[in-house]
Structures are given as structure tokens and as C-alpha cells.
Amino acid sequence: MLFSGKALSVQMLDNGIAELNFDLQGESVNKFNRLTVTELSQALDAIEAADGVKGVLLTSGKGVFIVGADITEFGGAFSAGPEGIADLMNKNNENINRLEDLPVPTVVAINGYALGGGFEVCLGCDYRVMGDQAKVGLPEVKLGLIPGWGGTVRLPRIVGVDVAAEWIAAGKEQRPDAALTAHAVDAVVPTDKLKDAALKLLGRAIDGELDYQSRREIKKSPIPLNDTEALMAFFTTKAFVGQQAGKNYPSPVAAVTSIEQGYKVGRDEALKIEQEQFIFCAQTGTAKSLVGLFLNDQAIGKVAKGWEKKADKKIERAAVLGAGIMGGGIAYQSAYKGTPIKMKDIAQDGIDLGLKEANKLLSKLVDRGRLTPAKMGEVLNRIEPTLSYDGFGDVDVVVEAVVENPKVKHAVLKEVEGKVSEDTVIASNTSTISIDHLAEPLARPENFLGMHFFNPVHKMPLVEVIRGEKTSDNAIARVVAYANKMGKKAIVVRDCPGFLVNRVLFPYFAGFAMLVRDGADFQAVDKVMERWGWPMGPAYLMDVVGIDTGVHAEKVMAEGFPERMGKTFTAASDVMYEAGRYGQKNDKGFYNYEEDKKGRPKKVATEESYELLKPHVADRRDFEKDEVIERMMVPMATELARCLEEGIVDSPAEADMALIYGIGFPPFRGGIFAWLDSIGLDEFVKMADKYADLGELYQPTERMREMAAKGETYYKSN
């Protein structure tokens, strides 16, 4: 053994080959934390000092190669400014350069995932052999960053400028076929043959059959593009990448800039350029927010896994009541992720609609090559359509997804409770109705809770798991485990009208209603909020959700919180509802809808909406964009603060992730609590107080005022 540490080791194999094996103790995956970086330096010392080393093989002792840097170390380094950021990057850049400059050939065996810094160390090797189930990539832009350990330097020298820019700017994981086609790897083999294949390739390089030195020279030299080729490549790429990313996400353009500025110089100079761009990105608010989201996502995942461990049994059979679009979506997701599900409706038409929805979603996967027809058949066979309760005694969980009407739900829930075992958990996919109210007719309320999916089920990651007053921990644990198995982000919240997401969304809609009442153009409001970062403005969002659905939910919210959410005027949504304009579902809402070339609804402005609104709103006038943003966001932020203070949600991280996953709150802002921290609660309180005359929705809580006075934040500073 040449070197043995807690993160990696080096041992001599036959024929003078040194195996450098990554195996970080106490972790399920390998990552480049400070320990790994330090030990890699020590391992390279050992290899350089050893006699008889003819080649180096890099391997992993885990099911993945290296998943990237340790993101938990970013906060402290980034807050230390440019010097702290450079310090985080320099040592491993030195390591990868040393690996690349070893006097012997190097080959890496890539199993599982090699992402970010994990792929960058692979690029530092002379040859790359990839398992047929592995994936590689440089996903740093998803954190608001760019590769910082040579990714923008080595990848374009290996695969070409265009492919490298595309891979890095998109941040996507690449499958073996794509990696091989791009020449990012030299061979793809079955995983069980990976080490043998890598050793054979290394042996050929040692024997002089392969010229590894010329490969190195290419990676260390300028890229041979003439000025015209470079101008065409970078001008077009930067324009496209900038348009796709948008102004709120600067890192994709910074990555292309790093390639552009570094292509004319050698490796070491290009690495300095990359570091400059990395430091620039690391100091942006976008990077701070996206790194925070990554850590928050890990945190909520740990909470969900903790709940799953408490479950007394696995969910092996499920059922959904009410087919249709929502029920069909739930059935599809359950079946697609491996849990057989009964899909019950009272009418064959409902069953047909649910099956049509599942079939449509699966067919799209087949068309895109992500699923074989045979696998599609297997998934469909896991969905059992039924008009009766036959076999319900054997299911572990039932999700009720019937019409959003308390009386109907009461009847259905009471009925199904009599058809299942005493052990079965029943969950309601209600979006607003109190779980405690729905539990009233049930004999076993401890087995009842909410499981609120968001539409469309297959796309929206969030599931709100709603605890009623009598809900048992075991019921929560089972449903969280089921949500995890379905590939969803489960966040446990407590019961109240609207739960968490809708309780916070409707004050946002109330802010919109008051703006339109006071003379704002709803299209102008949409544009301002979309530029602020929302995927769609409030009028467009209402059309997508369904104005009839929104009006119904709004009444539930007003009954639950009359002092804040009761209305004294006719809202724009009420006007549209009374006119039978329900949004995309009937092709007319605030906007009209036509099919685009791909058959998707496209919004079209219409004067009819303005004519309908005229009797109910003030004369149209222009609002400053800051006023629009403030009047929209203050009600949402104050309501979320109330939810945290009341214990509806347990932590700022869970609250922020719920809004990002549930309604598309702008990720680059990090969530509402992260946004409040960034602007400062003292500034927010001043902002809110400007609109005190608009009512209680614009009143910060006493706790918010206390925090503002003390300079406190929702997230602890690093």
C-alpha cells in the first residue's frame, strides 16, 4: 500500500500499475471535500515518490465514482470573498494538473456518476472508460456557478468548443452513448467489465501502443481555431445561451465566456481565466440562492427519509378514488415508480379518462426513447381500473381524489373506510378543505391525513402531507414513504385552510386583485412579475389553475381567515368566473387560448376581458414596477411568516422549498425567507408599512418586527 487515508488509497497492482481508489469513509458517495482534496495531494506525493510505477488507474470503492464537490463547504468559502473562493479551488486545481502531468499514463474507470469535480478529475486523465449505466456531466450552472477545476478548459479541448459549451451551459447529465459519440470518453463497457477494460487500455498505453503524450499536449495547448471560426462559434453560442438562461442566471454565459477567453492560451493561463469567472459567479445572489436551495433540498430529503424509517410497513399496494385527470396522474405516477394501484371511479367515463391520461404520459416517454413499449405495458398493467371496491381490503393506502366538495368527500371517505382494513391509511388529495373537518365522519381518524398533489402530477415535485389533529405518526410515516417512492418531495405540514402553499398563494392573488381594482393592467402586472422571476404572472397563473377552481378555493380561504382574506369588492377573478371564463380549461379566462403548432395552449390578449372588468375597476393607470412587486409580494411573505410562527410548517427551509416546488417561486431568489434575508427584514417592514391602508394582509407580524429591530435573519449566516 503506497498510501492509505480516510478518503482514498493507493496500492500497487501487477505490471507496475498503481490503483488510486476513492472511497470516502462514513459517506454513501465520494465527494471532493477538503479531506479528499488533501489526501489526493498526499496520494500524488506517494505515487511520484514510488519506484516502478508505470501507470495509474483511478477507481471508486463505491457505487458511484465522485458526485462532485462538497456543497456544504461552499458557504464559508464564498462568504470569505475572492480569496476564500480561490483558496477552495486552488489545491484541487493543482492536484488535477499534477495528475495530468505524471510521467506515466493514467486511465479512469467511471462507474455510477462522475459529476462536477468528479468529471473534472476524469478529464485530467489520459483515457476514460465508462460503465454502461454511468453518467457524466458538469452541472455547476444549476448552482449558479461554472466548473472550477478545469471543466471549461479541458472539455472543449477534448470534445470541441460547441459540444463543451452546450454541455456546460445546460448542466445536464450525459449518458454513455452521448459521451462516447462526443469523444468525452474512450470506451463504454458493461459495469462488471469496467476495471478489466480500464486495465487493458492502460496496459496498451504503457506498452507504447497508444500515444498518451500527444493527448496531453492537446489538453495543455491553445485550441486551434482561427479568428473567423471563433467569432462564429462564440457569438452564436453566447447569444443562444444568454437567451435560454435569462438575465437572472448569469453562470451559463460566464461558462461560455471562460471558454472564449481561454481558448487562445495554454492550460495554466486558461485555468486562471476560469477561476476569475468562477469567483464572479460565486459572489452573485443567484449562486448564494441556488447553493442554499441545494442544501435545503438535502435537508428536506433527510426529514422525509427520517419519516420513512418510522413507517411500520412498506406501501406495496395503493388505490386512488376518482379517476379523471388528477386520479389518472396519481395512478400513472404510482405505477411508473413501481407501486401497483387500483383506480376506482363511479362511472366508466371517468375510468376511461384516467387511463387515457396515463396512456398519454407513457406514450410520450416511448416517443422520446425513454421507455420501451414493453416497459410501457408493464406500467399500464400495474394500474387496475375498477368500478367496485373489490380487493380494497388488501391495499395499504387509498388516495381520495374526488371533486373538491366537503359533502361529497365526507360520503366517499366514510364509504371507503368501511371497505378497507383497519390498518389502511386513507389520504385526501384536497387542496384547501380542512383535514380535521374531512375526518369528522371517520371511525379511525388516526389513519387519515391529507396528501395534496399539484397539477400536473407527473411534473410537479411537491406533495404536501397534511397532519390532522388526530393523525398518527405512523400514518404520516407511511404516506411520506409512499410519496418518496413516487419520486416526490414530501413536506409535512399542519392542518389549516389552504394548508401551506395555497394559504400563501391566495394572499398573492389578493394583492393582484387589489392592483387590478385600483386600475392596474393585468397584462402589465403579469409582465412585471415574470421579469421578477415567476414562470407566469398572476392572471396567467389563474387561467392555468382554473378560475372556477380559484374562486372556490378563495371562498374557503375567506371563511378560514376572514380578517385577512375576506373581500369587500368584486375581484377580477369573480368577474371572469361570472362570465364563464374559466381559463385554459375552456379556452377563455383573462386571456383567450389557441393551440400552438405543438398542440399546446397559447395565450392571446383579448379586449373582452377588459370590457368585462371596466364596471368593477378604477380607470386604468400605470404603476411603477417596484410598487407592483411590493404589492404582490408583501401579502405572500407576511402570510408565510405567520405559517412558520403558527407551526404550520416546521422550518424556513421546508417553507421555501414548498413554494419553489409547488408554485414555481423564482429559484434564483432562494425562496421567500431567503429573499427576506437578502433585502433585510428592516427594509421589508418599511416596505410593508407603505401599504398599511390596504389591510391586514400588508401587516408584518409582531415577530417580524422584533426580528427587524434586532437585525435577525431566518437563516443563520455562515
Side-chain angles (χ1 to χ4, degrees):
M1 188 73 70
L2 293 183
F3 175 81
S4 180
K6 294 181 179 179
L8 49 87
S9 62
V10 182
Q11 65 173 334
M12 291 302 298
L13 306 178
D14 296 335
N15 303 322
I17 292 174
E19 181 181 7
L20 174 57
N21 181 259
F22 291 88
D23 196 355
L24 183 58
Q25 294 177 20
E27 297 282 353
S28 59
V29 295
N30 291 320
K31 53 190 173 183
F32 271 122
N33 57 9
R34 289 189 185 273
L35 172 66
T36 305
V37 171
T38 298
E39 289 193 357
L40 178 55
S41 180
Q42 295 167 349
L44 289 167
D45 288 342
I47 292 170
E48 288 170 346
D51 293 327
V53 174
K54 296 179 180 177
V56 178
L57 175 69
L58 278 68
T59 61
S60 166
K62 299 188 184 298
V64 299
F65 185 67
I66 302 172
V67 296
D70 186 345
I71 312 301
T72 63
E73 295 179 348
F74 282 9
F78 289 8
S79 62
E83 290 182 4
I85 300 166
D87 178 64
L88 182 71
M89 312 313 298
N90 284 339
K91 191 63 179 176
N92 218 32
N93 259 325
E94 181 185 315
N95 283 338
I96 297 174
N97 285 352
R98 287 176 66 192
L99 177 68
E100 192 166 50
D101 294 341
L102 285 172
V104 296
T106 55
V107 175
V108 59
I110 305 171
N111 64 313
Y113 288 91
L115 302 175
F119 188 38
E120 285 172 297
V121 79
C122 296
L123 296 174
C125 294
D126 298 317
Y127 299 95
R128 290 158 293 282
V129 182
M130 186 176 181
D132 59 1
Q133 300 301 308
K135 290 183 181 178
V136 297
L138 296 169
E140 287 85 353
V141 293
K142 294 180 180 178
L143 297 176
L145 302 169
I146 70 168
W149 286 325
T152 69
V153 177
R154 293 185 177 89
L155 188 62
R157 285 160 172 78
I158 293 171
V159 303
V161 165
D162 291 343
V163 172
E166 179 188 340
W167 279 26
I168 296 170
K172 292 180 180 176
E173 298 167 359
Q174 303 294 332
R175 297 176 184 274
D177 55 346
L180 188 62
T181 300
H183 304 295
V185 299
D186 299 287
V188 173
V189 299
T191 303
D192 60 350
K193 309 284 187 191
L194 182 59
K195 188 172 180 179
D196 287 343
L199 283 169
K200 283 181 183 177
L201 188 61
L202 184 55
R204 292 172 64 197
I206 292 170
D207 292 342
E209 185 182 337
L210 300 174
D211 183 4
Y212 69 90
Q213 292 287 11
S214 63
R215 282 190 158 220
R216 287 188 187 177
E217 194 57 36
I218 290 170
K219 285 195 288 174
K220 294 165 72 173
S221 302
I223 298 174
L225 285 179
N226 64 44
D227 290 345
T228 303
E229 290 170 331
L231 178 66
M232 293 295 292
F234 293 116
F235 179 80
T236 306
T237 301
K238 284 176 82 171
F240 176 76
V241 167
Q243 184 180 25
Q244 292 292 107
K247 64 183 178 65
N248 297 312
Y249 295 90
S251 63
V253 172
V256 179
T257 300
S258 179
I259 298 172
E260 179 183 24
Q261 294 181 357
Y263 89 92
K264 282 186 175 181
V265 297
R267 177 194 71 184
D268 294 351
E269 193 63 31
L271 287 171
K272 291 177 185 175
I273 293 167
E274 179 182 82
Q275 186 170 100
E276 288 172 6
Q277 292 295 326
F278 185 93
I279 289 172
F280 158 72
C281 291
Q283 295 179 102
T284 62
T286 298
K288 182 178 180 181
S289 295
L290 295 180
V291 168
L293 289 188
F294 178 88
L295 298 175
N296 284 351
D297 183 67
Q298 288 195 318
I300 67 169
K302 285 180 181 177
V303 172
K305 285 292 182 186
W307 275 111
E308 183 175 337
K309 289 175 183 176
K310 295 177 185 176
D312 63 340
K313 63 185 290 190
K314 291 183 178 179
I315 300 293
E316 295 180 348
R317 293 169 298 278
V320 61
L321 300 177
I325 299 295
M326 203 69 186
I330 293 168
Y332 157 82
Q333 192 68 24
S334 182
Y336 180 61
K337 291 295 184 177
T339 303
I341 187 166
K342 293 177 179 292
M343 185 174 65
K344 182 188 180 302
D345 204 280
I346 57 173
Q348 187 61 44
D349 286 350
I351 294 289
D352 293 343
L353 187 59
L355 288 173
K356 182 181 177 183
E357 178 70 6
N359 196 72
K360 178 184 76 174
L361 296 172
L362 288 165
S363 295
K364 283 183 180 178
L365 293 178
V366 172
D367 291 343
R368 292 171 186 162
R370 292 176 56 191
L371 201 69
T372 64
K375 288 288 183 184
M376 175 178 169
E378 288 177 21
V379 174
L380 284 174
N381 283 338
R382 293 190 197 111
I383 301 174
E384 181 188 338
T386 179
L387 295 171
S388 74
Y389 284 108
D390 289 350
F392 268 64
D394 297 327
V395 300
D396 302 309
V397 63
V398 177
V399 181
E400 169 271 305
V402 301
V403 63
E404 190 78 348
N405 179 302
K407 290 183 180 178
V408 174
K409 286 185 182 290
H410 271 166
V412 169
L413 290 167
K414 186 173 182 179
E415 182 179 54
V416 74
E417 189 183 42
K419 305 293 184 179
V420 297
S421 73
E422 292 187 1
D423 187 47
T424 301
V425 172
I426 302 173
S428 176
N429 176 49
T430 177
S431 55
T432 53
I433 305 169
S434 164
I435 295 302
D436 289 335
H437 177 62
L438 291 179
E440 287 174 2
L442 298 180
R444 298 185 294 276
E446 68 276 8
N447 285 353
F448 177 68
L449 71 166
M451 189 180 191
H452 178 207
F453 291 87
F454 290 75
N455 196 26
V457 174
H458 68 288
K459 283 187 178 178
M460 300 300 284
L462 180 67
V463 169
E464 282 181 303
V465 178
I466 305 119
R467 176 196 285 278
E469 186 180 345
K470 297 179 180 178
T471 304
S472 70
D473 279 358
N474 188 52
I476 295 283
R478 280 210 215 160
V479 168
V480 170
Y482 183 43
N484 289 349
K485 192 174 179 183
M486 291 174 84
K488 297 300 179 184
K489 306 286 187 180
I491 294 179
V492 178
V493 300
R494 283 163 185 78
D495 187 30
C496 69
F499 319 126
L500 178 66
V501 173
N502 280 331
R503 175 172 164 180
V504 174
L505 178 61
F506 279 88
Y508 174 81
F509 283 152
F512 169 69
M514 285 187 271
L515 272 167
V516 176
R517 175 199 66 186
D518 295 343
D521 178 351
F522 66 81
Q523 286 193 78
V525 175
D526 271 5
K527 285 175 184 173
V528 168
M529 297 315 295
E530 285 164 9
R531 285 176 187 145
W532 197 74
W534 285 93
M536 57 186 75
Y540 188 17
L541 179 58
M542 281 187 177
D543 279 357
V544 171
V545 169
I547 289 173
D548 53 338
T549 302
V551 167
H552 167 76
E554 190 179 61
K555 288 176 182 174
V556 174
M557 303 304 296
E559 289 172 8
F561 307 102
E563 73 287 355
R564 291 195 304 281
M565 300 190 204
K567 286 195 315 242
T568 58
F569 63 96
T570 301
S573 54
D574 297 323
V575 174
M576 296 300 141
Y577 176 70
E578 292 298 327
R581 301 180 69 88
Y582 300 153
Q584 284 188 356
K585 62 178 64 176
N586 70 344
D587 295 329
K588 53 185 181 178
F590 283 93
Y591 301 92
N592 285 349
Y593 291 88
E594 301 171 354
E595 280 194 2
D596 66 12
K597 292 178 181 178
K598 294 184 178 180
R600 296 175 302 196
K602 179 180 72 173
K603 68 182 168 101
V604 180
T606 171
E607 277 301 312
E608 188 176 346
S609 296
Y610 290 103
E611 290 301 318
L612 289 166
L613 289 171
K614 265 185 185 177
H616 306 281
V617 301
D619 291 340
R620 187 154 348 145
R621 65 184 178 90
D622 292 333
F623 285 76
E624 292 293 329
K625 69 177 179 62
D626 285 348
E627 183 177 352
V628 171
I629 293 164
E630 290 167 2
R631 287 183 60 165
M632 291 296 301
M633 292 309 305
V634 168
M636 180 174 257
T638 55
E639 199 63 33
L640 191 64
R642 288 186 184 93
C643 289
L644 183 64
E645 292 167 27
E646 293 170 14
I648 302 301
V649 65
D650 285 340
S651 68
E654 288 168 293
D656 279 348
M657 297 310 290
L659 296 191
I660 284 166
Y661 286 140
I663 53 176
F665 184 87
F668 70 92
R669 297 193 183 276
I672 284 189
F673 286 128
W675 173 65
L676 289 173
D677 283 355
S678 72
I679 62 175
L681 272 174
D682 55 339
E683 288 300 317
F684 177 79
V685 167
K686 290 175 192 172
M687 180 197 300
D689 285 346
K690 290 192 296 185
Y691 306 105
D693 61 316
L694 290 174
E696 289 198 33
L697 277 176
Y698 289 83
Q699 295 293 327
T701 68
E702 286 306 310
R703 175 65 185 138
M704 293 177 90
R705 291 187 186 278
E706 287 173 16
M707 291 175 68
K710 294 177 182 176
E712 294 177 1
T713 57
Y714 284 102
Y715 290 96
K716 289 192 173 101
S717 300
N718 289 303

